[in-house]
Amino acid sequence: MIQRIQSVYLLIGSILLGILHFIPFGKGNAIGDSLLTDAVFDINDGNILLIPVSLAALAMLISIFLFKNRAAQKLGVIVSLFTLGICIGAGGATYFKNSELLSSANNFSLGIGAALPFLSLILGIFAMGAIGKDEKIVKSM
């Protein structure tokens, strides 16, 4: 199960998305607005970020155990990539919608959490490529 490279990619991607529950996208000064009341911009600031990140992590984790059925594994990876796209889009929209709030005047700075969805997306794409290579090997036999 973990001996396949796509399983390693999916495991690392789901771990990175799990880490997002503890690491914020960025930090700034606490302000009275709903986004930075706790001085951090993270996935807990709204369901628009929390749900796609959780679904993508779960889809990647489930896809690891679908190693015997490559079509189902591909579908799980596609679902996780789609939800990661929603997460990245929603995070970017939230960031740019509140750009005056998240400005340097409030000492806001992006952290490592902002890169984790992109890294998971890249790992998901690598997993899709590895699943495709496995399919080619099986078809050639």
Side-chain angles (χ1 to χ4, degrees), residues 2 4-5 12 19 36 38 40-41 47-48 50 53 62 66 69 81-82 89 100-101 107 119-120 122 138:
I2 297 294
R4 300 257 187 242
I5 190 68
I12 293 171
I19 289 173
L36 282 179
D38 56 353
V40 294
F41 173 43
N47 288 340
I48 192 86
L50 180 65
V53 167
I62 289 172
L66 298 174
N69 187 353
L81 293 176
F82 179 72
E100 70 280 348
L101 180 68
N107 292 329
L119 292 174
S120 294
I122 291 168
V138 169

PDB file of all heavy atoms in Angstrom, residues 2 4-5 12 19 36 38 40-41 47-48 50 53 62 66 69 81-82 89 100-101 107 119-120 122 138:
ATOM      1  N   ILE A   2       1.791   1.410   0.937  1.00  0.00           N
ATOM      2  CA  ILE A   2       2.656   2.586   0.969  1.00  0.00           C
ATOM      3  C   ILE A   2       3.902   2.355   0.108  1.00  0.00           C
ATOM      4  O   ILE A   2       4.686   3.249  -0.109  1.00  0.00           O
ATOM      5  CB  ILE A   2       3.035   2.929   2.433  1.00  0.00           C
ATOM      6  CG1 ILE A   2       1.808   3.303   3.241  1.00  0.00           C
ATOM      7  CG2 ILE A   2       4.028   4.066   2.539  1.00  0.00           C
ATOM      8  CD1 ILE A   2       1.135   4.580   2.820  1.00  0.00           C
ATOM      9  N   ARG A   4       4.049   2.004  -3.024  1.00  0.00           N
ATOM     10  CA  ARG A   4       3.913   2.702  -4.296  1.00  0.00           C
ATOM     11  C   ARG A   4       4.203   4.181  -4.084  1.00  0.00           C
ATOM     12  O   ARG A   4       3.844   4.767  -3.076  1.00  0.00           O
ATOM     13  CB  ARG A   4       2.498   2.544  -4.849  1.00  0.00           C
ATOM     14  CG  ARG A   4       2.116   1.112  -5.091  1.00  0.00           C
ATOM     15  CD  ARG A   4       2.208   0.851  -6.566  1.00  0.00           C
ATOM     16  NE  ARG A   4       1.701  -0.468  -6.886  1.00  0.00           N
ATOM     17  CZ  ARG A   4       2.453  -1.401  -7.425  1.00  0.00           C
ATOM     18  NH1 ARG A   4       3.716  -1.170  -7.666  1.00  0.00           N
ATOM     19  NH2 ARG A   4       1.949  -2.562  -7.721  1.00  0.00           N
ATOM     20  N   ILE A   5       4.830   4.796  -5.073  1.00  0.00           N
ATOM     21  CA  ILE A   5       5.228   6.197  -4.942  1.00  0.00           C
ATOM     22  C   ILE A   5       4.008   7.108  -4.849  1.00  0.00           C
ATOM     23  O   ILE A   5       4.028   8.107  -4.125  1.00  0.00           O
ATOM     24  CB  ILE A   5       6.184   6.616  -6.086  1.00  0.00           C
ATOM     25  CG1 ILE A   5       6.786   7.994  -5.807  1.00  0.00           C
ATOM     26  CG2 ILE A   5       5.478   6.616  -7.424  1.00  0.00           C
ATOM     27  CD1 ILE A   5       7.732   8.034  -4.653  1.00  0.00           C
ATOM     28  N   ILE A  12       1.902  12.262   2.086  1.00  0.00           N
ATOM     29  CA  ILE A  12       2.536  13.539   2.426  1.00  0.00           C
ATOM     30  C   ILE A  12       1.563  14.692   2.165  1.00  0.00           C
ATOM     31  O   ILE A  12       1.461  15.628   2.973  1.00  0.00           O
ATOM     32  CB  ILE A  12       3.848  13.731   1.638  1.00  0.00           C
ATOM     33  CG1 ILE A  12       4.883  12.698   2.088  1.00  0.00           C
ATOM     34  CG2 ILE A  12       4.393  15.139   1.822  1.00  0.00           C
ATOM     35  CD1 ILE A  12       6.124  12.663   1.228  1.00  0.00           C
ATOM     36  N   ILE A  19      -1.878  19.479   8.657  1.00  0.00           N
ATOM     37  CA  ILE A  19      -1.098  20.476   9.393  1.00  0.00           C
ATOM     38  C   ILE A  19      -1.753  21.851   9.301  1.00  0.00           C
ATOM     39  O   ILE A  19      -1.619  22.670  10.214  1.00  0.00           O
ATOM     40  CB  ILE A  19       0.354  20.505   8.863  1.00  0.00           C
ATOM     41  CG1 ILE A  19       1.090  19.236   9.286  1.00  0.00           C
ATOM     42  CG2 ILE A  19       1.114  21.728   9.342  1.00  0.00           C
ATOM     43  CD1 ILE A  19       2.464  19.085   8.672  1.00  0.00           C
ATOM     44  N   LEU A  36      -9.674  38.899  11.244  1.00  0.00           N
ATOM     45  CA  LEU A  36      -8.462  38.906  12.068  1.00  0.00           C
ATOM     46  C   LEU A  36      -8.748  39.227  13.539  1.00  0.00           C
ATOM     47  O   LEU A  36      -7.940  39.853  14.196  1.00  0.00           O
ATOM     48  CB  LEU A  36      -7.445  39.919  11.521  1.00  0.00           C
ATOM     49  CG  LEU A  36      -6.658  39.497  10.301  1.00  0.00           C
ATOM     50  CD1 LEU A  36      -5.725  40.600   9.863  1.00  0.00           C
ATOM     51  CD2 LEU A  36      -5.884  38.226  10.545  1.00  0.00           C
ATOM     52  N   ASP A  38      -8.677  37.196  15.919  1.00  0.00           N
ATOM     53  CA  ASP A  38      -7.715  36.439  16.721  1.00  0.00           C
ATOM     54  C   ASP A  38      -6.278  36.655  16.237  1.00  0.00           C
ATOM     55  O   ASP A  38      -5.373  35.941  16.644  1.00  0.00           O
ATOM     56  CB  ASP A  38      -8.059  34.962  16.719  1.00  0.00           C
ATOM     57  CG  ASP A  38      -8.143  34.370  15.321  1.00  0.00           C
ATOM     58  OD1 ASP A  38      -8.068  35.135  14.345  1.00  0.00           O
ATOM     59  OD2 ASP A  38      -8.268  33.140  15.218  1.00  0.00           O
ATOM     60  N   VAL A  40      -4.893  35.978  13.457  1.00  0.00           N
ATOM     61  CA  VAL A  40      -4.384  35.012  12.483  1.00  0.00           C
ATOM     62  C   VAL A  40      -5.421  34.803  11.381  1.00  0.00           C
ATOM     63  O   VAL A  40      -6.617  34.887  11.607  1.00  0.00           O
ATOM     64  CB  VAL A  40      -4.020  33.645  13.123  1.00  0.00           C
ATOM     65  CG1 VAL A  40      -2.871  33.779  14.070  1.00  0.00           C
ATOM     66  CG2 VAL A  40      -5.204  33.022  13.805  1.00  0.00           C
ATOM     67  N   PHE A  41      -4.922  34.528  10.189  1.00  0.00           N
ATOM     68  CA  PHE A  41      -5.765  34.168   9.050  1.00  0.00           C
ATOM     69  C   PHE A  41      -5.517  32.690   8.802  1.00  0.00           C
ATOM     70  O   PHE A  41      -4.457  32.295   8.340  1.00  0.00           O
ATOM     71  CB  PHE A  41      -5.396  35.024   7.843  1.00  0.00           C
ATOM     72  CG  PHE A  41      -6.083  34.641   6.564  1.00  0.00           C
ATOM     73  CD1 PHE A  41      -7.423  34.332   6.543  1.00  0.00           C
ATOM     74  CD2 PHE A  41      -5.388  34.627   5.376  1.00  0.00           C
ATOM     75  CE1 PHE A  41      -8.057  33.990   5.366  1.00  0.00           C
ATOM     76  CE2 PHE A  41      -6.001  34.290   4.182  1.00  0.00           C
ATOM     77  CZ  PHE A  41      -7.348  33.972   4.188  1.00  0.00           C
ATOM     78  N   ASN A  47     -16.094  28.450   6.909  1.00  0.00           N
ATOM     79  CA  ASN A  47     -16.314  27.121   6.337  1.00  0.00           C
ATOM     80  C   ASN A  47     -15.870  27.047   4.883  1.00  0.00           C
ATOM     81  O   ASN A  47     -15.635  25.963   4.367  1.00  0.00           O
ATOM     82  CB  ASN A  47     -17.783  26.735   6.450  1.00  0.00           C
ATOM     83  CG  ASN A  47     -18.171  26.430   7.871  1.00  0.00           C
ATOM     84  OD1 ASN A  47     -17.328  26.143   8.710  1.00  0.00           O
ATOM     85  ND2 ASN A  47     -19.460  26.491   8.152  1.00  0.00           N
ATOM     86  N   ILE A  48     -15.762  28.191   4.219  1.00  0.00           N
ATOM     87  CA  ILE A  48     -15.337  28.208   2.820  1.00  0.00           C
ATOM     88  C   ILE A  48     -13.907  27.702   2.677  1.00  0.00           C
ATOM     89  O   ILE A  48     -13.513  27.238   1.620  1.00  0.00           O
ATOM     90  CB  ILE A  48     -15.511  29.617   2.212  1.00  0.00           C
ATOM     91  CG1 ILE A  48     -15.363  29.596   0.697  1.00  0.00           C
ATOM     92  CG2 ILE A  48     -14.537  30.605   2.798  1.00  0.00           C
ATOM     93  CD1 ILE A  48     -16.603  29.277  -0.019  1.00  0.00           C
ATOM     94  N   LEU A  50     -12.389  25.752   5.523  1.00  0.00           N
ATOM     95  CA  LEU A  50     -12.296  24.553   6.353  1.00  0.00           C
ATOM     96  C   LEU A  50     -12.810  23.307   5.638  1.00  0.00           C
ATOM     97  O   LEU A  50     -12.149  22.259   5.650  1.00  0.00           O
ATOM     98  CB  LEU A  50     -13.067  24.765   7.662  1.00  0.00           C
ATOM     99  CG  LEU A  50     -13.066  23.610   8.648  1.00  0.00           C
ATOM    100  CD1 LEU A  50     -11.654  23.361   9.161  1.00  0.00           C
ATOM    101  CD2 LEU A  50     -14.004  23.889   9.799  1.00  0.00           C
ATOM    102  N   VAL A  53     -10.492  22.028   2.570  1.00  0.00           N
ATOM    103  CA  VAL A  53      -9.219  21.478   3.060  1.00  0.00           C
ATOM    104  C   VAL A  53      -9.453  20.114   3.700  1.00  0.00           C
ATOM    105  O   VAL A  53      -8.712  19.158   3.446  1.00  0.00           O
ATOM    106  CB  VAL A  53      -8.541  22.456   4.053  1.00  0.00           C
ATOM    107  CG1 VAL A  53      -7.415  21.777   4.797  1.00  0.00           C
ATOM    108  CG2 VAL A  53      -8.024  23.662   3.327  1.00  0.00           C
ATOM    109  N   ILE A  62      -8.069   8.539   1.704  1.00  0.00           N
ATOM    110  CA  ILE A  62      -8.853   7.393   1.222  1.00  0.00           C
ATOM    111  C   ILE A  62      -8.238   6.818  -0.050  1.00  0.00           C
ATOM    112  O   ILE A  62      -8.219   5.597  -0.252  1.00  0.00           O
ATOM    113  CB  ILE A  62     -10.323   7.804   1.012  1.00  0.00           C
ATOM    114  CG1 ILE A  62     -10.998   8.036   2.374  1.00  0.00           C
ATOM    115  CG2 ILE A  62     -11.089   6.759   0.221  1.00  0.00           C
ATOM    116  CD1 ILE A  62     -12.384   8.616   2.291  1.00  0.00           C
ATOM    117  N   LEU A  66      -7.034   2.759  -1.903  1.00  0.00           N
ATOM    118  CA  LEU A  66      -7.659   2.269  -3.132  1.00  0.00           C
ATOM    119  C   LEU A  66      -6.613   1.829  -4.146  1.00  0.00           C
ATOM    120  O   LEU A  66      -6.842   1.887  -5.349  1.00  0.00           O
ATOM    121  CB  LEU A  66      -8.546   3.367  -3.729  1.00  0.00           C
ATOM    122  CG  LEU A  66      -9.711   3.828  -2.870  1.00  0.00           C
ATOM    123  CD1 LEU A  66     -10.403   5.018  -3.511  1.00  0.00           C
ATOM    124  CD2 LEU A  66     -10.690   2.702  -2.657  1.00  0.00           C
ATOM    125  N   ASN A  69      -7.568  -0.661  -6.966  1.00  0.00           N
ATOM    126  CA  ASN A  69      -8.476  -0.171  -7.998  1.00  0.00           C
ATOM    127  C   ASN A  69      -7.984   1.202  -8.450  1.00  0.00           C
ATOM    128  O   ASN A  69      -8.334   2.222  -7.870  1.00  0.00           O
ATOM    129  CB  ASN A  69      -9.896  -0.092  -7.427  1.00  0.00           C
ATOM    130  CG  ASN A  69     -10.929   0.250  -8.478  1.00  0.00           C
ATOM    131  OD1 ASN A  69     -10.600   0.562  -9.608  1.00  0.00           O
ATOM    132  ND2 ASN A  69     -12.183   0.186  -8.076  1.00  0.00           N
ATOM    133  N   LEU A  81      -7.919  17.092  -5.850  1.00  0.00           N
ATOM    134  CA  LEU A  81      -7.383  18.212  -6.625  1.00  0.00           C
ATOM    135  C   LEU A  81      -8.447  19.284  -6.857  1.00  0.00           C
ATOM    136  O   LEU A  81      -8.168  20.485  -6.781  1.00  0.00           O
ATOM    137  CB  LEU A  81      -6.815  17.728  -7.957  1.00  0.00           C
ATOM    138  CG  LEU A  81      -5.565  16.855  -7.885  1.00  0.00           C
ATOM    139  CD1 LEU A  81      -5.174  16.377  -9.271  1.00  0.00           C
ATOM    140  CD2 LEU A  81      -4.428  17.577  -7.220  1.00  0.00           C
ATOM    141  N   PHE A  82      -9.670  18.845  -7.125  1.00  0.00           N
ATOM    142  CA  PHE A  82     -10.768  19.791  -7.325  1.00  0.00           C
ATOM    143  C   PHE A  82     -11.044  20.577  -6.049  1.00  0.00           C
ATOM    144  O   PHE A  82     -11.178  21.806  -6.087  1.00  0.00           O
ATOM    145  CB  PHE A  82     -12.026  19.038  -7.780  1.00  0.00           C
ATOM    146  CG  PHE A  82     -13.219  19.920  -7.988  1.00  0.00           C
ATOM    147  CD1 PHE A  82     -13.280  20.772  -9.073  1.00  0.00           C
ATOM    148  CD2 PHE A  82     -14.278  19.906  -7.100  1.00  0.00           C
ATOM    149  CE1 PHE A  82     -14.374  21.594  -9.275  1.00  0.00           C
ATOM    150  CE2 PHE A  82     -15.379  20.724  -7.279  1.00  0.00           C
ATOM    151  CZ  PHE A  82     -15.438  21.568  -8.379  1.00  0.00           C
ATOM    152  N   GLY A  89      -8.620  28.877  -4.441  1.00  0.00           N
ATOM    153  CA  GLY A  89      -9.412  29.990  -4.964  1.00  0.00           C
ATOM    154  C   GLY A  89     -10.120  30.769  -3.864  1.00  0.00           C
ATOM    155  O   GLY A  89     -10.127  32.006  -3.870  1.00  0.00           O
ATOM    156  N   GLU A 100      -7.083  45.387   2.089  1.00  0.00           N
ATOM    157  CA  GLU A 100      -6.801  46.565   2.910  1.00  0.00           C
ATOM    158  C   GLU A 100      -6.685  46.180   4.382  1.00  0.00           C
ATOM    159  O   GLU A 100      -5.936  46.785   5.138  1.00  0.00           O
ATOM    160  CB  GLU A 100      -7.874  47.645   2.720  1.00  0.00           C
ATOM    161  CG  GLU A 100      -9.238  47.321   3.300  1.00  0.00           C
ATOM    162  CD  GLU A 100     -10.077  46.384   2.420  1.00  0.00           C
ATOM    163  OE1 GLU A 100      -9.711  46.148   1.264  1.00  0.00           O
ATOM    164  OE2 GLU A 100     -11.090  45.881   2.913  1.00  0.00           O
ATOM    165  N   LEU A 101      -7.402  45.160   4.794  1.00  0.00           N
ATOM    166  CA  LEU A 101      -7.326  44.674   6.170  1.00  0.00           C
ATOM    167  C   LEU A 101      -6.029  43.908   6.398  1.00  0.00           C
ATOM    168  O   LEU A 101      -5.415  43.985   7.456  1.00  0.00           O
ATOM    169  CB  LEU A 101      -8.533  43.759   6.449  1.00  0.00           C
ATOM    170  CG  LEU A 101      -8.650  43.136   7.815  1.00  0.00           C
ATOM    171  CD1 LEU A 101      -8.947  44.220   8.839  1.00  0.00           C
ATOM    172  CD2 LEU A 101      -9.751  42.105   7.822  1.00  0.00           C
ATOM    173  N   ASN A 107       0.634  44.965   9.992  1.00  0.00           N
ATOM    174  CA  ASN A 107       1.741  44.025  10.189  1.00  0.00           C
ATOM    175  C   ASN A 107       1.357  42.605   9.803  1.00  0.00           C
ATOM    176  O   ASN A 107       1.758  41.648  10.446  1.00  0.00           O
ATOM    177  CB  ASN A 107       2.246  44.061  11.635  1.00  0.00           C
ATOM    178  CG  ASN A 107       2.913  45.364  11.964  1.00  0.00           C
ATOM    179  OD1 ASN A 107       3.503  45.994  11.098  1.00  0.00           O
ATOM    180  ND2 ASN A 107       2.822  45.782  13.208  1.00  0.00           N
ATOM    181  N   LEU A 119       1.596  22.992  -2.211  1.00  0.00           N
ATOM    182  CA  LEU A 119       2.446  21.803  -2.156  1.00  0.00           C
ATOM    183  C   LEU A 119       1.607  20.532  -2.257  1.00  0.00           C
ATOM    184  O   LEU A 119       1.986  19.577  -2.948  1.00  0.00           O
ATOM    185  CB  LEU A 119       3.267  21.799  -0.867  1.00  0.00           C
ATOM    186  CG  LEU A 119       4.341  22.877  -0.744  1.00  0.00           C
ATOM    187  CD1 LEU A 119       4.978  22.842   0.643  1.00  0.00           C
ATOM    188  CD2 LEU A 119       5.393  22.691  -1.818  1.00  0.00           C
ATOM    189  N   SER A 120       0.467  20.510  -1.584  1.00  0.00           N
ATOM    190  CA  SER A 120      -0.421  19.349  -1.667  1.00  0.00           C
ATOM    191  C   SER A 120      -0.971  19.174  -3.068  1.00  0.00           C
ATOM    192  O   SER A 120      -1.128  18.051  -3.548  1.00  0.00           O
ATOM    193  CB  SER A 120      -1.567  19.487  -0.669  1.00  0.00           C
ATOM    194  OG  SER A 120      -1.085  19.446   0.638  1.00  0.00           O
ATOM    195  N   ILE A 122       0.556  20.056  -5.856  1.00  0.00           N
ATOM    196  CA  ILE A 122       1.656  19.517  -6.654  1.00  0.00           C
ATOM    197  C   ILE A 122       1.845  18.026  -6.380  1.00  0.00           C
ATOM    198  O   ILE A 122       2.034  17.230  -7.312  1.00  0.00           O
ATOM    199  CB  ILE A 122       2.948  20.317  -6.380  1.00  0.00           C
ATOM    200  CG1 ILE A 122       2.818  21.726  -6.953  1.00  0.00           C
ATOM    201  CG2 ILE A 122       4.166  19.618  -6.966  1.00  0.00           C
ATOM    202  CD1 ILE A 122       3.892  22.686  -6.506  1.00  0.00           C
ATOM    203  N   VAL A 138       0.713  -2.064 -16.229  1.00  0.00           N
ATOM    204  CA  VAL A 138      -0.238  -3.181 -16.170  1.00  0.00           C
ATOM    205  C   VAL A 138      -0.761  -3.508 -17.567  1.00  0.00           C
ATOM    206  O   VAL A 138      -0.910  -4.681 -17.931  1.00  0.00           O
ATOM    207  CB  VAL A 138      -1.381  -2.857 -15.178  1.00  0.00           C
ATOM    208  CG1 VAL A 138      -2.512  -3.860 -15.296  1.00  0.00           C
ATOM    209  CG2 VAL A 138      -0.852  -2.814 -13.757  1.00  0.00           C
TER     210      VAL A 138
END
